[in-house]
Amino acid sequence: NAGVTQTPKFRILKIGQSMTLQCTQDMNHNYMYWYRQDPGMGLKLIYYSVGAGITDKGEVPNGYNVSRSTTEDFPLRLELAAPSQTSVYFCATEERGYTDTQYFGPGTRLTVL
Amino acid sequence: GENVEQHPSTLSVQEGDSAVIKCTYSDSASNYFPWYKQELGKRPQLIIDIRSNVGEKKDQRIAVTLNKTAKHFSLHITETQPEDSAVYFCAASRGSSNTGKLIFGQGTTLQVKP
């Protein structure tokens, strides 16, 4: 049982490049989230999904896109990377209706130069 | 907009002492309040949570208290140990917890000195 996995662990992008951060879970949780964590700060919600085919914006969605075609996968797409997107990105899943606990992936550290 | 304020930003205690971290939230509809611990370079992990129908919850050396009237909740760690050193985040549900969305505080870096 891998839980929540994220790839890649680290990435350096040049300004204007694009990339997809992958998030996969084997916990069969319907709710999934993408957060960013800037140095010395808390977690800001980028996008979330309550199930396959359903996504919605969080607090800081600009510059990002998501899709949710399956329960397991919730990729985050960055188009036209900017230095302001330098951050650590965490994917999380939630076991709704039982504990409401959010389980985080190991994170992706992204630097945009 | 809704926010969660967390204090202090850093806290240093001697091993064996108690540590208290406080959070204030603004959304009166919030009804779920988890606390996460994040060790350096690791993912956040839930350590304890409380719902708005409960005033206090305890799990071994950690406890959380909630004052709904004042809109604040606190994390208490007793008999601190060096392995308690980490960043601690409080969070509050955005609106009712049915949305699943959380608002996080900015974190408290706890250092426990041996």
Side-chain angles (χ1 to χ4, degrees), chain B residues 3-76:
Chain B
N3 72 314
V4 174
E5 296 287 335
Q6 183 172 347
H7 298 281
S9 56
T10 59
L11 180 59
S12 181
V13 300
Q14 288 295 133
E15 183 177 0
D17 286 350
S18 295
V20 180
I21 303 169
K22 299 182 179 181
C23 290
T24 304
Y25 61 99
S26 61
D27 188 347
S28 57
S30 296
N31 60 4
Y32 174 62
F33 308 91
W35 285 88
Y36 286 84
K37 176 184 180 182
Q38 186 178 28
E39 296 175 356
L40 189 62
K42 301 289 182 64
R43 73 191 79 188
Q45 292 193 300
L46 180 76
I47 54 171
I48 196 167
D49 57 12
I50 193 168
R51 295 190 181 276
S52 58
N53 58 350
V54 175
E56 183 174 0
K57 184 176 179 181
K58 191 174 181 181
D59 183 3
Q60 299 182 335
R61 293 187 299 109
I62 60 173
V64 57
T65 58
L66 171 65
N67 183 327
K68 280 187 62 181
T69 303
K71 292 188 203 166
H72 65 72
F73 56 112
S74 301
L75 177 72
H76 304 254

Side-chain angles (χ1 to χ4, degrees), chain A residues 4 31 33 35 37 40-43 45 48 50 57 59 90 94 96 98-102 104-106, chain B residues 2 32 36 38 41-46 49 51 87 89 94 97-107:
Chain A
V4 185
Y31 281 56
Y33 306 86
Y35 293 94
Q37 184 178 32
M41 302 293 285
L43 295 135
L45 182 65
Y48 69 104
V50 301
K57 296 177 181 178
E59 302 171 72
F90 288 100
E94 184 172 315
R96 295 297 294 171
Y98 182 59
T99 64
D100 295 344
T101 300
Q102 291 196 13
F104 285 81
Chain B
E2 301 97 344
Y32 174 62
Y36 286 84
Q38 186 178 28
K42 301 289 182 64
R43 73 191 79 188
Q45 292 193 300
L46 180 76
D49 57 12
R51 295 190 181 276
V87 180
F89 292 98
R94 188 183 296 275
S97 64
N98 290 335
T99 64
K101 292 186 286 184
L102 298 174
I103 311 165
F104 283 84
Q106 293 190 325

Side-chain angles (χ1 to χ4, degrees), chain A residues 7-82:
Chain A
T7 56
K9 286 186 168 56
F10 305 95
R11 183 75 185 268
I12 298 175
L13 282 183
K14 294 182 179 178
I15 294 171
Q17 287 186 320
S18 300
M19 75 166 293
T20 299
L21 283 68
Q22 301 291 346
C23 175
T24 300
Q25 54 114 348
D26 62 2
M27 302 160 78
N28 202 33
H29 292 167
N30 283 325
Y31 281 56
M32 295 187 74
Y33 306 86
W34 273 107
Y35 293 94
R36 60 176 287 173
Q37 184 178 32
D38 298 329
M41 302 293 285
L43 295 135
K44 298 287 187 184
L45 182 65
I46 305 171
Y47 270 96
Y48 69 104
S49 170
V50 301
I54 307 169
T55 63
D56 206 349
K57 296 177 181 178
E59 302 171 72
V60 290
N62 291 345
Y64 307 94
N65 274 301
V66 293
S67 59
R68 183 94 182 272
S69 56
T70 66
T71 298
E72 293 78 20
D73 299 304
F74 189 38
L76 177 72
R77 178 83 178 161
L78 276 72
E79 305 281 3
L80 299 175

